[in-house]
């Protein structure tokens, strides 16, 4: 229960933060792989209380949201750094 919820919140917050901190597009791998693994573990009963009906849609949505927010963080920090460089 609580450990799985903590992992979900942590991944939701850390993915864009890691993207912003590293400014690397490879940071998008964390949510792209992490979210499906979280849902796989829930579905297999490895942690948490399992999944309910329509969990595949929730997994797809949260994975897309995680990749998007991380990509936005990477793009924003790269653009800000590029703007700060002397011309």
């Amino acid at each position: 229960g609580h450990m799985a919820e903590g992992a979900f919140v942590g991944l939701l917050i850390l993915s864009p933060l890691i993207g912003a901190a590293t400014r690397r597009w490879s940071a998008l791998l964390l949510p792209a792989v992490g979210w499906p693994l979280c849902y796989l573990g829930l579905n297999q009963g490895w942690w948490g209380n399992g999944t309910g009906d329509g969990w595949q849609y929730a997994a797809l949505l949260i994975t897309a949201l995680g990749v998007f927010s991380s990509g936005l963080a990477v793009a924003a920090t790269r653009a800000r750094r590029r703007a700060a460089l002397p011309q």
Side-chain angles (χ1 to χ4, degrees):
H2 295 302
M3 187 172 159
E5 291 168 7
F8 269 56
V9 171
L11 189 57
L12 191 62
I13 294 169
L14 285 178
S15 292
L17 289 178
I18 290 171
T22 63
R23 296 186 311 268
R24 297 190 182 277
W25 293 112
S26 60
L28 275 62
L29 289 173
L30 177 62
V33 172
W35 283 116
L37 285 177
C38 281
Y39 275 96
L40 176 65
L42 282 172
N43 193 46
Q44 296 298 315
W46 298 337
W47 51 74
N49 297 322
T51 54
D53 293 338
W55 69 269
Q56 300 92 335
Y57 301 112
L60 183 61
L61 181 64
I62 197 76
T63 300
L65 179 64
V67 170
F68 176 77
S69 65
S70 297
L72 194 61
V74 170
T77 54
R78 289 173 70 98
R80 196 169 72 217
R81 182 165 189 245
R82 196 170 25 254
L85 293 175
Q87 299 298 322

